[in-house]
Amino acid sequence: VQLQASGGGLVQAGGSLRLSCAISGRISSYAMGWFRQAPGKEREFVGAISWSGANTYYADFVKGRFTISRDIAKNTVYLQMNSLKPEDMAVYYCVAGDNSAVVRTTPHYWGRGTLVTVSS
C-alpha cells in the first residue's frame, strides 16, 4: 500500500491550499485522513473521512476552515484548507486504515508528507 500526497507549498496567511493524496496497492475499503507535524511539535490528527465519504471528523483547531473529501473512483482524498494561519505550517501526512476510528488514532498506513508553509 502506498500513499502519495501532493499540493503543499507556500501561502500567505488567510490563503488557501488543497492537498491531495492518492492511495494504491492491495487494499479494499478503507478510511483515510490527515495528520500534521509542526517543527518541534508532536504529530497531531487533522481530519478523517470514512470509506463511503458519508462521515467526516476534524480536529477542533481546523473546524470551519478545513474540509476533507474523497473520490472513491480515483482512490484519492483531498484536504481543502482555507483561512490558513501561520500555526498551520507543518508537514502534512496522508494516512489510511480499516476504519475512521483507526485513522484518527493509529493509522495503519502513512504517506511521506507534504510541507505547507504559511507566511504571516
Side-chain angles (χ1 to χ4, degrees):
V1 175
Q2 291 186 329
L3 300 172
Q4 183 64 50
S6 61
L10 173 64
V11 64
Q12 289 188 331
S16 299
L17 276 177
R18 189 177 82 154
L19 305 182
S20 300
C21 177
I23 185 169
S24 60
R26 300 181 66 179
I27 186 169
S28 55
S29 62
Y30 48 86
M32 295 184 72
W34 297 88
F35 275 64
R36 72 183 187 185
Q37 186 168 22
K41 295 187 177 182
E42 293 190 353
R43 208 170 281 187
E44 59 185 357
F45 168 74
V46 175
I49 187 166
S50 62
W51 178 79
S52 67
N55 298 301
T56 56
Y57 308 86
Y58 297 97
D60 288 343
F61 53 79
V62 302
K63 284 182 180 177
R65 300 189 297 124
F66 291 10
T67 303
I68 190 168
S69 61
R70 70 185 301 166
D71 185 329
I72 296 175
K74 295 182 178 179
N75 290 333
T76 300
V77 66
Y78 304 97
L79 184 66
Q80 177 66 43
M81 304 184 293
N82 299 327
S83 302
L84 283 162
K85 305 175 181 180
E87 52 263 42
D88 292 319
M89 184 167 64
V91 176
Y92 283 71
Y93 297 90
C94 178
V95 297
D98 289 345
N99 54 65
S100 52
V102 168
V103 167
R104 282 180 281 161
T105 56
T106 53
H108 295 142
Y109 306 103
W110 291 77
R112 293 183 62 181
T114 183
L115 177 63
V116 172
T117 303
V118 183
S119 62
S120 56

